[in-house]
């Protein structure tokens, strides 16, 4: 399972890269806005830092023509750009054209298996079902991912599934058990994946036992 960070924060990306567990990055306009920098400069910084791993950068146009223009410009920035396109009829029209041009796409804001099916048929490189936002409304985000995994398996689609809007380590575990291709998660969730109180307790006990031996030996 590939791990992506869902962030536009350069320090978080650097830390995950140093851990050696990062396979890519996804962003959205909210995450880019949070950093408060000129997007053109910030996009380039992320792309360079993460290279050659993929980075999803989202278009803001709502019509197919505008999305295609933005996508072509974004894909010229670097060969690790994946263009994030919203799940709308115009978005799917844009994905069909872009995939024929060899531009990688990530269809975002997927909330039903049928939306994922349409995106895959249009040739999307990735689809991003949003787990957390569905859970927030009383639906089941993991179930959505499960159904998309099954459908893509039935028809042998090449489109990879990025489980997104990840809120917890439990989300990560449940979709990993389903065999999802990728999970994109906030830095906070990635950090939580390290944790267990028994690990901390074990380290403390090893340390104190070692120190006790040193004292006994007069070292
Ligand atoms: O990047 C898309 C998605 O992961 C956003 O997550 O937490 O804003 O629902 P969230």
């Amino acid at each position: 399972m590939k791990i992506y960070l869902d962030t536009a924060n350069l320090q978080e990306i650097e830390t995950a890269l140093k851990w050696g567990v990062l396979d890519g990055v996804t962003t959205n306009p909210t995450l880019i806005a949070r950093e408060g920098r000129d997007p053109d400069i910030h996009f380039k910084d992320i792309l360079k830092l993460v290279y050659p791993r993929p980075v999803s950068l989202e278009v803001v146009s709502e019509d197919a023509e505008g999305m295609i223009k933005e996508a072509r410009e974004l894909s010229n920035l670097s060969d690790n750009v994946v263009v994030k396109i919203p799940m709308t009829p115009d978005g799917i029209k844009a994905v069909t054209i872009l995939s024929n041009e060899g531009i990688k796409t990530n269809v975002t804001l997927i909330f039903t298996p049928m939306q994922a099916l349409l995106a895959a048929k249009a040739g999307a490189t990735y689809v991003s079902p949003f787990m957390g936002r569905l859970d927030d409304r009383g639906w089941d985000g993991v179930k959505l991912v499960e159904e998309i995994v099954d459908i893509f398996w039935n028809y042998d689609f090449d489109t990879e599934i990025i489980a997104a809007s990840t809120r917890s380590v439990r989300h990560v575990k449940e979709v990993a058990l389903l065999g999802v291709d990728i999970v994109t998660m906030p830095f906070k969730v990635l950090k939580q994946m390290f944790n267990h109180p028994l690990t901390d307790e074990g380290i403390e006990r090893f340390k104190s036992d070692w120190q006790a031996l040193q004292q006994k030996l007069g070292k």
Side-chain angles (χ1 to χ4, degrees):
M1 190 197 77
K2 293 184 193 115
I3 291 179
Y4 287 8
L5 266 187
D6 196 28
T7 187
N9 184 278
L10 299 175
Q11 281 177 337
E12 291 178 353
I13 295 169
E14 259 180 63
T15 304
L17 279 170
K18 284 183 187 154
W19 285 334
V21 297
L22 191 68
D23 299 301
V25 165
T26 53
T27 68
N28 60 38
T30 306
L31 295 171
I32 295 290
R34 198 174 287 163
E35 299 307 306
R37 297 176 73 210
D38 177 344
D40 292 334
I41 297 169
H42 202 63
F43 285 165
K44 285 182 191 158
D45 286 348
I46 299 175
L47 288 164
K48 199 170 158 201
L49 186 59
V50 177
Y51 196 84
R53 302 163 189 83
V55 178
S56 288
L57 303 174
E58 191 158 342
V59 298
V60 288
S61 299
E62 291 179 28
D63 62 302
E65 206 175 295
M67 288 184 204
I68 292 164
K69 185 172 174 288
E70 270 188 74
R72 287 177 182 148
E73 286 164 4
L74 287 171
S75 69
N76 278 335
L77 292 177
S78 177
D79 58 18
N80 59 333
V81 169
V82 175
V83 183
K84 221 169 169 187
I85 307 260
M87 176 61 219
T88 62
D90 271 68
I92 292 304
K93 187 173 161 189
V95 169
T96 297
I97 292 166
L98 294 168
S99 63
N100 283 328
E101 290 178 16
I103 293 177
K104 293 193 175 106
T105 55
N106 172 1
V107 178
T108 187
L109 294 165
I110 297 270
F111 294 98
T112 74
M114 293 303 95
Q115 290 178 325
L117 179 64
L118 289 174
K121 284 187 69 68
T125 319
Y126 306 97
V127 288
S128 290
F130 278 30
M131 301 182 286
R133 291 192 197 182
L134 266 184
D135 290 356
D136 291 345
R137 301 288 182 103
W139 283 295
D140 185 345
V142 172
K143 184 76 189 162
L144 168 66
V145 174
E146 184 182 357
E147 289 178 349
I148 298 171
V149 167
D150 287 349
I151 290 168
F152 284 14
W153 175 262
N154 286 346
Y155 297 104
D156 209 14
F157 282 117
D158 290 333
T159 304
E160 287 191 274
I161 303 164
I162 306 180
S165 186
T166 304
R167 299 278 162 77
S168 63
V169 174
R170 191 180 180 87
H171 266 157
V172 180
K173 186 189 83 172
E174 288 184 356
V175 295
L177 286 168
L178 297 174
V180 79
D181 303 293
I182 302 152
V183 180
T184 191
M185 62 191 82
F187 185 68
K188 186 179 145 204
V189 173
L190 180 60
K191 269 202 311 188
Q192 286 168 345
M193 285 174 66
F194 282 90
N195 298 341
H196 195 281
L198 286 175
T199 305
D200 299 338
E201 206 181 286
I203 289 169
E204 276 311 307
R205 191 185 305 170
F206 290 151
K207 195 165 76 183
S208 65
D209 288 348
W210 187 258
Q211 282 167 350
L213 174 67
Q214 302 298 303
Q215 269 187 348
K216 193 174 157 193
L217 299 175
K219 287 195 174 178

